[in-house]
Amino acid sequence: MSVKILMVCLGNICRSPLAEGIMRANLPQDCFVDSAGTGAWHAGQLPDKRSIATAKNRGLDITNQRARQFKVSDFDTFDFIYVMDNSNYQDVIALAPTKEAKLKVKLILNEIFPNENVDVPDPYYGGDDGFENVFDILEQACGIIATKL
Ligand code: 4NP
């Protein structure tokens, strides 16, 4: 199997499920893409209805996904761990057992805006347009990641 990529946000129901769906659509079948949340509140749940609807509008079905919490063994499983915001970054880095593990963790929007440490805004408490915006920005970031692999 080739590259393994994990997308991480807080709840694993809004942003990282979109990132997972978009990244998978941009990579060959033999790549492994998954997502997780730093929190466990939504474990076992489908993505947020608004993420499902936004993905569907853009031709992606993400209803195969179920939320799960990030776990320390993910550092071994995955080659790249893309986090959605600076808070996720702090939470994931705090669990990293080694320097090598820390080096796998990257802010996803640094792919578009190198070294600027820009957050993917959390759309959970906002309207539907927030999800469209998140989709657009993640599509751009995942496109860059795919061309680099
Ligand atoms: P996500 O959004 O991290 O993009 O999945 C959130 C989903 C749920 C909550 C916060 C953010 N929550 O507080 O339950």
Side-chain angles (χ1 to χ4, degrees):
M1 187 177 300
S2 48
V3 69
K4 301 189 190 79
I5 295 178
L6 183 67
M7 301 297 189
V8 177
C9 63
L10 177 60
N12 193 208
I13 55 169
C14 295
R15 292 166 293 176
S16 60
L18 286 174
E20 177 186 335
I22 294 165
M23 194 73 251
R24 185 173 289 133
N26 274 273
L27 290 177
Q29 285 270 325
D30 66 340
C31 295
F32 181 57
V33 185
D34 194 9
S35 63
T38 56
W41 313 285
H42 299 282
Q45 293 179 10
L46 278 163
D48 187 283
K49 284 189 174 62
R50 297 163 294 176
S51 284
I52 292 174
T54 300
K56 193 176 175 198
N57 278 340
R58 310 296 189 94
L60 292 181
D61 181 358
I62 61 168
T63 59
N64 61 310
Q65 297 186 34
R66 297 295 180 273
R68 73 168 176 90
Q69 188 172 26
F70 179 84
K71 50 186 192 278
V72 174
S73 63
D74 288 325
F75 288 113
D76 294 327
T77 306
F78 293 93
D79 303 304
F80 299 101
I81 299 171
Y82 288 104
V83 295
M84 300 296 125
D85 65 32
N86 283 274
S87 170
N88 308 150
Y89 185 84
Q90 294 304 330
D91 290 343
V92 171
I93 284 288
L95 296 172
T98 63
K99 191 176 157 206
E100 287 68 33
K102 283 195 174 82
L103 288 171
K104 292 183 176 184
V105 187
K106 296 168 192 298
L107 269 170
I108 193 164
L109 292 192
N110 278 348
E111 300 299 315
I112 309 174
F113 313 108
N115 303 315
E116 291 190 28
N117 299 338
V118 178
D119 291 342
V120 178
D122 188 342
Y124 187 61
Y125 294 106
D128 292 349
D129 57 340
F131 286 76
E132 297 291 332
N133 174 50
V134 166
F135 193 100
D136 288 339
I137 201 153
L138 288 176
E139 193 170 47
Q140 201 182 335
C142 291
I144 294 169
I145 293 168
T147 58
K148 292 202 303 194
L149 292 174

